[in-house]
C-alpha cells in the first residue's frame, strides 16, 4: 500500500484529469470501497461459525483465502489503470469581455474545422482578473493591470456615476486623454478615474456590480452561454459566446470619447483575463477544450472505485486475523502492536523508494505493488500454521462477566456508535491532508516525488517503536484520551499547513501521524476488541475502515478539495476552518465521553461466585485439587481496559 497509494494523485494528473475530476474521483472511490468491508466482514464472521451446516474450520483457512483473493483482485484492477488512454487537451486562447449591451466570452476556434462549442443549458464558474478598458476585444488577451498606487488619497466626493469603486489614480493617457489638460483648476483636487464596473442580476433580481481595482485579486461569475454569434468573415478564427443572463459593463462617456479618439473603428468594452480557465473549480470552459473527451475520466472513475474495494476488504480481514491470532489470553501468539509495527515498517520503507529511486513512476509503483501483494498472497495460501482458528466465546466485559453476544451489543452499542462517529471525524481531518498532500508538496517543491514518499516515512518509521508498546500505551493512557489527543494533533497539523511554505518543514509536521494514524488505528482495533463480541469480530474491525478510511476519506476529499479549487488562495482559508473544527470536535468529544458515555456505559464490579463446598470436597478427596481458572478476574491487565 505504501508503494502505490501516495502516488495515485500524481497519476491522475499525469493522464490528464483536471483538478475537479481528480477531486471527484477522490470523493466517489471511497464510497464505492465501502462494498469491501460491508461484504467481507459479515461473510468472514459467518464462515467462522460454519456455513450451510459445514463444521467450523480448525485452521482459519477461510480467512487466509479471503485475504489472498482480495490482494490478487487488487493487483488486477490497479493494473487496469495503466490501460486507460490519457486525456489530450488542447486549451484554446480565451478571454472575457463586456460592454453596455452585454457580456461575452471570446475563444479560439478548434481544429481544422474551426468549430465552436454548443453550450446548451450548461452553467458554470469563471474567474476574471486584470480587467481594463479596451477598444477591441481579443481572445489572446493576457495583460497585467499595473495601475500605480496613489501617493496620497484625498477624501474629495466622488461623482455618482463613478460609483464607489473609483479612487484617485494616475490615468492612462491612451484611455483618458491628456492628464494635464484635464487637471482641475484646484491643483489639490485629484481627478477620479472610473474602474471597470461589471453588473449582473442576482437571484432576487437586484442589479449587483463588481468593481475591479488594482487591489482586486479575482472576481467570480456564475454564468451560462449562448451559441456563438456567426459572422460573415470567413477568416474569423474566434468564437464569440454571449452571456445567457443579463450582464452590463458601465463605460463612462469620457472613457468612450478618449478611446474612440485614439483609435479608429473602436468598440469600447471592458476586457479581462480569465484565470485558469479550464481547471478552476466548477469551470464553465473545461468541456470546451479542443479534443476534450471524458471517456477516459469515466473509465478511470469506474476502475479506480472498484480497485479500492479490495484493499479496504483486505485490511479489514487482516485486522480480524491479528485480533484472532494474538487473542487476549496466554495462548496468544504475540502482541497486537508488534503485528502492526511490521505493517508500519513496510509502509514507511517503500514509499520513498518509489518516490526517490523510481521518481514517482506509476509503472514502477505498480511493479513493486504487484510483487509485494503477490508474495503476501502466496504466504497466506501456503502457511497452514497461522493461528487463525475461529473466534470462540470469550470473557467479554472488563470485570470478568461472561457476556452473551446480543446483550453485549445492546450494552455497548451506544459507546460503539460514538466511537464510529469519532473515527469518522478523525478520518475527515486526516484525509483532508493526506488525499491532496502530494499535490501541495509537488507545487512547493517543483515536482520532487521523493518528498512525497518521505511524508509517509517520517510518520511510519518512528511509529514502529511506539507500536511495539502499543497495548501498554493504550492501557496506560486510555482509549478515549488517545483519540482526543489525535484531535489536538490535527489542530496543530492544519495550523502548520497554513503557515509553512517549505516542503522540508512539512516533513517535520508529518511525525504527528505517529499518533493520528498509526496509534489511532491500533487504539480503535483494541477498543473494538473489547466492545464487540467474538462472534462479530470481523464486523467490529470493519468499523474503523468504514468510518475512517472510507466515509472519512470521502468527506475529507470533499472539504479538503476546496483548498485546491483556487490554489493557493483558498488553501489557508480551508485549513483555518479545519483547525477550528478540530478544536470544537475535541472539546465536544471530551465533554460527551467523560460526562455522559463513561458513566452510562460503565459496568459495576462483579466477582465470580465462590464454588460450592461439594466441589472442594470432591476434588480434595484424591489430593489433586487445582483451583478453577477464571480469566480476566477483577481488573487484570489483559481483560480490563482503561477509559
Amino acid at each position: 500500500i505504501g508503494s502505490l497509494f501516495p502516488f495515485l494523485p500524481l497519476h491522475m494528473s499525469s493522464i490528464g484529469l483536471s483538478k475537479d475530476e481528480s477531486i471527484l474521483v477522490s470523493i466517489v472511490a471511497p464510497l464505492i470501497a465501502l462494498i469491501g468491508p460491508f461484504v467481507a466482514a459479515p461473510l468472514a464472521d459467518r464462515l467462522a461459525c460454519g456455513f450451510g451446516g459445514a463444521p467450523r474450520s480448525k485452521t482459519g483457512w477461510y480467512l487466509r483465502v479471503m485475504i489472498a483473493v482480495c490482494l490478487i483482485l487488487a493487483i488486477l484492477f490497479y493494473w487496469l489503470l495503466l490501460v486507460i488512454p490519457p486525456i489530450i487537451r488542447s486549451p484554446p486562447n480565451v478571454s472575457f469581455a463586456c460592454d453596455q449591451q452585454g457580456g461575452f466570452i471570446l475563444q479560439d476556434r478548434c481544429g481544422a474545422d474551426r468549430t465552436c462549442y454548443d453550450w446548451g443549458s450548461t452553467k458554470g464558474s469563471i474567474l476574471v482578473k486584470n480587467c481594463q478598458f479596451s477598444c477591441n476585444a481579443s481572445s489572446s488577451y493576457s495583460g497585467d493591470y499595473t495601475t500605480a498606487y496613489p501617493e496620497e488619497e484625498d477624501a474629495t466626493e466622488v461623482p455618482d456615476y463613478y460609483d464607489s469603486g473609483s479612487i484617485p489614480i494616475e490615468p492612462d493617457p491612451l484611455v483618458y486623454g491628456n492628464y494635464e489638460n484635464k487637471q482641475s483648476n484646484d491643483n489639490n483636487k485629484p481627478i477620479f478615474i472610473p474602474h471597470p464596473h461589471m453588473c449582473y442580476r442576482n437571484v432576487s433580481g437586484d442589479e449587483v456590480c463588481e468593481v475591479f481595482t488594482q487591489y482586486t485579486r479575482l472576481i467570480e461569475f456564475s454564468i451560462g452561454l449562448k451559441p456563438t454569434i456567426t459572422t460573415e468573415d470567413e477568416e474569423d478564427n474566434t468564437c464569440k459566446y454571449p452571456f445567457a443572463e443579463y450582464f452590463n459593463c458601465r463605460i463612462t462617456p469620457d472613457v468612450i470619447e478618449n478611446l474612440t479618439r485614439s483609435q479608429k473603428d473602436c468598440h469600447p468594452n471592458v476586457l479581462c483575463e480569465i484565470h485558469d480557465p479550464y481547471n478552476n473549480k466548477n469551470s464553465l470552459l473545461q468541456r470546451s477544450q479542443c479534443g476534450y473527451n471524458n471517456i477516459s475520466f469515466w473509465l478511470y472513475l469506474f476502475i479506480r472505485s472498484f480497485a479500492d474495494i479490495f484493499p479496504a476488504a483486505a485490511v479489514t480481514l487482516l485486522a480480524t486475523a491479528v485480533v484472532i491470532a494474538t487473542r487476549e489470553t496466554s495462548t496468544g501468539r504475540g502482541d497486537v502492536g508488534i503485528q502492526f509495527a511490521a505493517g508500519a515498517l513496510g509502509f514507511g520503507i517503500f514509499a520513498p523508494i518509489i518516490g526517490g529511486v523510481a521518481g514517482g513512476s506509476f509503472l514502477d509503483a505498480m511493479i513493486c505493488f504487484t510483487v509485494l501483494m503477490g508474495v503476501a498472497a502466496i504466504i497466506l495460501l501456503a502457511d497452514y500454521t497461522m493461528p487463525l482458528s475461529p473466534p470462540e466465546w470469550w470473557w467479554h466485559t472488563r470485570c470478568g462477566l461472561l457476556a452473551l453476544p446480543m446483550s453485549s451489543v445492546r450494552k455497548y452499542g451506544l459507546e460503539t456508535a460514538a466511537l464510529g462517529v469519532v473515527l469518522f471525524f478523525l478520518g475527515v481531518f486526516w484525509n483532508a491532508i493526506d488525499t491532496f498532500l502530494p499535490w501541495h508538496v509537488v507545487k512547493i517543491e517543483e515536482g520532487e516525488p521523493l518528498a512525497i514518499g518521505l511524508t509517509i516515512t517520517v510518520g511510519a518509521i518512528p511509529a514502529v517503536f511506539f507500536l511495539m508498546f502499543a497495548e501498554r500505551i493504550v492501557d496506560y493512557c486510555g482509549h478515549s484520551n488517545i483519540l482526543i489527543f489525535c484531535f489536538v494533533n490535527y489542530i496543530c497539523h492544519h495550523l502548520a499547513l497554513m503557515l509553512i511554505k517549505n516542503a522540508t518543514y512539512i516533513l517535520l509536521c508529518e511525525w504527528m501521524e505517529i499518533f493520528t494514524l498509526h496509534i489511532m488505528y491500533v487504539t480503535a482495533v483494541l477498543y473494538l476488541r473489547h466492545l464487540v463480541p467474538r462472534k462479530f469480530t470481523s464486523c467490529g474491525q470493519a468499523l474503523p475502515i468504514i468510518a475512517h478510511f472510507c466515509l472519512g476519506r470521502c468527506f475529507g476529499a470533499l472539504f479538503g478539495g476546496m483548498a485546491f479549487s483556487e490554489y493557493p488562495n483558498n488553501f489557508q482559508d480551508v485549513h483555518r476552518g479545519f483547525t477550528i473544527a478540530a478544536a470544537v470536535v475535541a472539546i465536544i468529544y471530551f465533554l460527551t465521553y467523560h460526562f455522559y458515555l463513561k458513566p452510562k456505559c460503565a459496568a459495576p464490579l462483579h466477582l465470580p461466585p465462590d464454588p460450592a463446598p461439594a466441589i472442594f470436597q470432591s476434588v480434595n478427596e484424591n489430593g489433586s485439587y487445582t483451583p478453577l481458572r477464571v480469566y480476566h478476574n477483577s481488573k487484570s491487565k489483559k481483560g480490563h481496559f482503561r477509559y
Side-chain angles (χ1 to χ4, degrees):
I1 288 178
S3 66
L4 178 67
F5 275 51
F7 304 99
L8 285 172
L10 298 186
H11 180 244
M12 289 190 284
S13 300
S14 68
I15 68 170
L17 297 186
S18 67
K19 282 190 294 187
D20 276 356
E21 290 168 341
S22 298
I23 292 172
L24 183 60
V25 170
S26 301
I27 294 172
V28 174
L31 281 181
I32 305 300
L34 285 169
I35 297 174
F38 265 127
V39 173
L43 180 60
D45 284 334
R46 186 71 180 271
L47 291 174
C49 300
F51 185 72
R56 289 186 179 183
S57 168
K58 299 298 184 182
T59 60
W61 62 268
Y62 69 96
L63 199 55
R64 294 187 290 108
V65 171
M66 288 180 68
I67 299 173
V69 168
C70 289
L71 300 185
I72 294 171
L73 290 175
I75 294 172
L76 296 177
F77 270 89
Y78 281 115
W79 269 108
L80 291 178
L81 293 177
L82 287 170
V83 304
I84 298 175
I87 300 174
I88 301 175
R89 305 176 189 266
S90 178
N93 294 325
V94 64
S95 64
F96 171 101
C98 62
D99 54 24
Q100 294 172 324
Q101 282 70 48
F104 45 91
I105 296 294
L106 299 174
Q107 187 181 54
D108 289 350
R109 294 178 181 269
C110 284
D113 296 334
R114 299 167 59 247
T115 59
C116 294
Y117 188 77
D118 185 11
W119 293 97
S121 59
T122 303
K123 294 189 68 174
S125 170
I126 60 172
L127 300 168
V128 301
K129 63 181 181 180
N130 299 334
C131 296
Q132 66 177 20
F133 295 108
S134 174
C135 247
N136 296 299
S138 169
S139 61
S140 59
Y141 169 70
S142 60
D144 293 328
Y145 190 80
T146 56
T147 303
Y149 186 90
E151 294 183 2
E152 294 183 2
E153 296 188 10
D154 191 275
T156 309
E157 183 179 357
V158 180
D160 292 339
Y161 63 86
Y162 286 143
D163 209 353
S164 60
S166 300
I167 61 172
I169 60 174
E170 188 71 22
D172 183 352
L174 178 63
V175 179
Y176 306 109
N178 191 320
Y179 179 80
E180 294 180 357
N181 292 339
K182 288 187 173 291
Q183 182 69 27
S184 170
N185 293 331
D186 184 0
N187 292 330
N188 294 325
K189 183 177 181 181
I191 295 178
F192 290 90
I193 304 302
H195 291 286
H197 285 56
M198 296 163 279
C199 306
Y200 61 95
R201 296 193 189 280
N202 59 17
V203 178
S204 60
D206 299 325
E207 186 173 12
V208 179
C209 292
E210 298 284 356
V211 183
F212 189 90
T213 72
Q214 67 266 41
Y215 311 114
T216 305
R217 293 194 301 175
L218 297 170
I219 299 177
E220 181 177 7
F221 295 108
S222 181
I223 59 173
L225 297 177
K226 298 178 181 178
T228 184
I229 299 175
T230 57
T231 62
E232 298 179 357
D233 187 0
E234 296 182 356
E235 297 182 357
D236 185 7
N237 292 319
T238 303
C239 302
K240 185 176 182 179
Y241 304 111
F243 290 1
E245 299 84 10
Y246 168 82
F247 205 91
N248 172 269
C249 284
R250 298 180 184 177
I251 306 178
T252 63
D254 289 344
V255 173
I256 296 175
E257 178 184 353
N258 286 292
L259 285 172
T260 53
R261 185 190 307 126
S262 62
Q263 186 175 344
K264 296 181 179 180
D265 300 326
C266 179
H267 302 284
N269 57 65
V270 174
L271 183 62
C272 301
E273 179 185 357
I274 301 178
H275 175 75
D276 203 7
Y278 302 105
N279 290 311
N280 70 299
K281 186 176 179 62
N282 193 29
S283 170
L284 171 69
L285 301 170
Q286 175 185 321
R287 57 189 63 85
S288 68
Q289 295 181 81
C290 301
Y292 176 70
N293 190 335
N294 61 359
I295 295 178
S296 294
F297 162 69
W298 290 110
L299 277 175
Y300 190 95
L301 178 62
F302 176 82
I303 296 173
R304 169 70 185 280
S305 297
F306 277 89
D308 285 357
I309 290 174
F310 303 106
V315 173
T316 300
L317 297 174
L318 280 170
T320 303
V322 169
V323 169
I324 294 174
T326 56
R327 293 178 172 87
E328 277 201 308
T329 66
S330 58
T331 61
R333 309 297 178 88
D335 192 279
V336 171
I338 294 176
Q339 304 298 318
F340 284 104
L345 183 63
F347 193 59
I349 288 176
F350 286 93
I353 290 177
I354 298 300
V357 178
S361 166
F362 189 73
L363 177 60
D364 293 333
M366 273 306 308
I367 293 173
C368 183
F369 180 79
T370 302
V371 171
L372 295 172
M373 287 290 197
V375 170
I378 292 172
I379 294 173
L380 285 162
L381 295 176
D383 188 357
Y384 291 92
T385 62
M386 290 185 181
L388 300 179
S389 58
E392 68 279 1
W393 298 110
W394 69 329
W395 295 93
H396 179 82
T397 66
R398 63 192 180 100
C399 299
L401 290 178
L402 181 62
L404 295 176
M406 294 313 297
S407 66
S408 174
V409 171
R410 286 193 295 268
K411 179 174 181 57
Y412 294 100
L414 183 62
E415 193 169 356
T416 304
L419 177 61
V421 173
V422 170
L423 291 174
F424 166 73
F425 280 111
L426 288 171
V428 172
F429 291 124
W430 178 64
N431 289 288
I433 298 172
D434 181 76
T435 304
F436 305 110
L437 187 63
W439 286 358
H440 184 52
V441 171
V442 166
K443 285 180 180 294
I444 62 180
E445 277 291 308
E446 299 181 354
E448 181 56 53
L450 176 61
I452 298 173
L454 290 176
T455 60
I456 304 296
T457 303
V458 169
I461 297 300
V464 173
F465 173 78
F466 287 89
L467 290 173
M468 292 177 66
F469 305 96
E471 287 202 64
R472 298 181 184 179
I473 294 173
V474 173
D475 184 71
Y476 181 80
C477 297
H479 300 77
S480 62
N481 293 329
I482 290 178
L483 297 178
I484 293 171
F485 181 67
C486 290
F487 283 113
V488 176
N489 274 270
Y490 281 124
I491 297 173
C492 302
H493 203 159
H494 285 282
L495 183 62
L497 286 178
M498 290 171 50
L499 305 175
I500 292 175
K501 305 297 182 183
N502 188 297
T504 303
Y505 298 127
I506 289 180
L507 294 179
L508 296 178
C509 293
E510 290 303 301
W511 68 267
M512 297 182 192
E513 287 199 351
I514 296 172
F515 303 100
T516 58
L517 177 61
H518 302 285
I519 295 295
M520 178 280 304
Y521 182 56
V522 175
T523 300
V525 169
L526 295 173
Y527 206 166
L528 288 163
R529 185 180 69 176
H530 290 282
L531 294 178
V532 178
R534 283 276 180 164
K535 188 175 182 179
F536 306 113
T537 299
S538 296
C539 290
Q541 296 307 318
L543 181 61
I545 306 301
I546 292 172
H548 189 279
F549 295 103
C550 291
L551 292 177
R553 193 170 189 85
C554 170
F555 285 91
L558 175 64
F559 298 124
M562 297 178 183
F564 294 88
S565 62
E566 187 44 53
Y567 183 90
N569 297 329
N570 290 349
F571 191 82
Q572 289 193 347
D573 294 337
V574 170
H575 286 286
R576 183 182 299 108
F578 275 114
T579 302
I580 298 172
V584 171
V585 174
I587 294 172
I588 293 175
Y589 177 46
F590 177 85
L591 296 176
T592 302
Y593 186 85
H594 286 282
F595 292 96
Y596 178 73
L597 289 176
K598 182 178 178 180
K600 183 177 180 63
C601 299
L605 180 63
H606 291 280
L607 295 177
D610 294 332
I615 297 178
F616 286 103
Q617 294 174 2
S618 62
V619 297
N620 282 333
E621 286 177 356
N622 56 13
S624 60
Y625 166 70
T626 302
L628 294 174
R629 177 179 295 179
V630 179
Y631 295 106
H632 314 311
N633 186 23
S634 185
K635 293 187 177 181
S636 58
K637 287 295 182 182
K638 283 289 185 181
H640 169 60
F641 60 96
R642 294 169 61 96
Y643 284 80

